[in-house]
Amino acid sequence: MNAVECREAWQNVCKIYDATRETNRPAVTMEAIIKELGIEKTQEVFAVVSKIKKNDGRIYGKNREFMDSIPTDPAISEWNRENPMIHAGLDHIHTAHISNLISELRKLV
């Protein structure tokens, strides 16, 4: 994905998260995200967010390894003020919840 597509995908993830978070079930949220974006786009957008948040220790272990294994465009995978992803609401979902969603994603691939 290019930067604009990735930003739009993440904004969709945030909307789906908001619509499903009351269930308090990351599996329900991840299923809805995949239904909307498809598995490949879902993996890529979460990998980009994970790489931007590479210094955040709340994504760790197998989740970090999985996200690091997914190829992404280096230009949109770095914390850089020109990167449109930085202004896409990266902190809309708490990083611990992002990690929970990645755990669910790993179960589905």
Side-chain angles (χ1 to χ4, degrees):
M1 284 186 284
N2 65 38
V4 172
E5 292 169 330
C6 195
R7 182 188 69 220
E8 290 171 358
W10 183 250
Q11 290 169 334
N12 279 334
V13 166
C14 292
K15 287 177 189 172
I16 294 166
Y17 176 81
D18 288 346
T20 60
R21 76 174 166 202
E22 288 186 17
T23 67
N24 198 25
R25 295 183 54 213
V28 169
T29 301
M30 184 49 69
E31 287 174 13
I33 292 167
I34 291 171
K35 184 177 181 183
E36 176 72 21
L37 300 179
I39 192 77
E40 290 174 7
K41 223 180 220 186
T42 300
Q43 287 179 328
E44 188 173 353
V45 73
F46 274 89
V48 167
V49 170
S50 175
K51 289 173 184 178
I52 291 172
K53 293 178 172 267
K54 65 184 171 196
N55 296 317
D56 191 326
R58 291 170 284 199
I59 302 172
Y60 63 94
K62 296 287 184 187
N63 285 349
R64 177 66 68 189
E65 291 172 20
F66 177 55
M67 292 292 96
D68 287 347
S69 73
I70 297 169
T72 60
D73 180 347
I76 60 173
S77 301
E78 293 291 327
W79 189 270
N80 179 326
R81 65 184 171 161
E82 285 85 33
N83 181 353
M85 284 299 293
I86 301 304
H87 310 288
L90 290 176
D91 294 329
H92 184 81
I93 303 172
H94 191 280
T95 309
H97 294 194
I98 292 171
S99 188
N100 290 340
L101 291 168
I102 293 169
S103 293
E104 293 303 322
L105 179 58
R106 284 182 34 234
K107 291 176 187 177
L108 298 171
V109 292

